[in-house]
């Protein structure tokens, strides 16, 4: 029997979330804490909330609690990508280091306090490893409390 995790997804639901993707793409998304900086860098293309034009930026993605996330990082400053995804959650997730793929995706804001705390704790623990995967560190969980956090799902 599957047990729920902090994302509210059961083990089988987490596994199914990426199961429709080809193996090489799924492996590129399922990064582990051993992943280096280049494996975490992607581009995303959102639709501008005011202009309706495509906006492409470079950003880190994270894996925590069996899911994929985008996060604004420490200090939680406002970001256009987050505001754009709130206005239109459909976007393109561009893998670009090693594996190249443009994946249709959907962003869901993570607002539930227990889920936010658990996911941000995993992200911070990952970034605080000795090999410095995100070139951000050391960092403290309380510095990330106001971060913009989006859970990503990939459309079949």
């Amino acid at each position: 029997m599957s047990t729920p995790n902090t994302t509210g997804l059961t083990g089988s639901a987490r596994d199914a979330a990426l199961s429709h993707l080809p193996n090489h793409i799924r492996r590129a998304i399922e990064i582990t804490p051993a992943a280096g900086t280049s494996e975490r860098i992607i581009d995303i293309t959102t639709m501008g909330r005011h202009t309706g034009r495509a906006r492409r930026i470079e950003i880190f993605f994270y894996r925590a609690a069996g899911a994929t996330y985008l996060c604004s990082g420490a200090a939680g400053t406002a970001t256009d990508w987050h505001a754009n995804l709130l206005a239109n959650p459909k976007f393109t997730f561009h893998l670009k280091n090693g594996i190249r793929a443009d994946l249709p995706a959907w962003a869901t804001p993570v607002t539930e306090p227990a889920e936010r705390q658990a996911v941000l704790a995993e992200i911070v623990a990952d970034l605080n490893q000795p090999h410095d995967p995100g070139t951000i560190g050391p960092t403290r969980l309380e510095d990330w409390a106001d971060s913009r956090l989006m859970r990503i799902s990939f459309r079949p």
Side-chain angles (χ1 to χ4, degrees):
M1 183 164 123
S2 298
T3 57
N5 72 1
T6 57
T7 64
L9 298 174
T10 63
S12 59
R14 284 193 316 269
D15 296 340
L18 300 176
S19 64
H20 66 283
L21 298 172
N23 287 339
H24 69 290
I25 292 174
R26 191 176 67 247
R27 281 190 304 272
I29 295 170
E30 290 177 332
I31 60 171
T32 68
T37 301
S38 65
E39 295 166 289
R40 299 162 184 270
I41 296 174
I42 59 164
D43 286 349
I44 61 171
T45 300
T46 62
M47 295 305 292
R49 64 197 176 283
H50 298 298
T51 66
R53 288 188 286 215
R55 300 287 185 210
R56 186 168 177 152
I57 64 156
E58 185 174 78
I59 190 170
F60 282 98
F61 78 98
Y62 303 92
R63 288 288 295 175
T68 306
Y69 294 89
L70 298 176
C71 185
S72 63
T77 56
T79 60
D80 286 335
W81 67 263
H82 183 262
N84 289 345
L85 289 175
L86 287 174
N88 182 357
K90 292 185 280 187
F91 73 104
T92 304
F93 185 101
H94 305 279
L95 289 171
K96 63 182 193 170
N97 292 302
I99 302 294
R100 294 197 179 276
D102 300 325
L103 306 171
W106 186 270
T108 303
V110 180
T111 58
E112 198 278 316
E115 180 182 0
R116 284 183 57 77
Q117 176 77 13
V119 169
L120 291 171
E122 276 194 54
I123 289 171
V124 168
D126 188 9
L127 292 173
N128 280 332
Q129 293 181 82
H131 73 280
D132 193 15
T135 64
I136 304 169
T139 187
R140 302 172 318 148
L141 179 57
E142 54 269 20
D143 295 336
W144 288 61
D146 295 326
S147 296
R148 274 74 172 149
L149 183 62
M150 293 279 193
R151 184 178 43 258
I152 307 308
S153 59
F154 297 94
R155 309 312 248 181

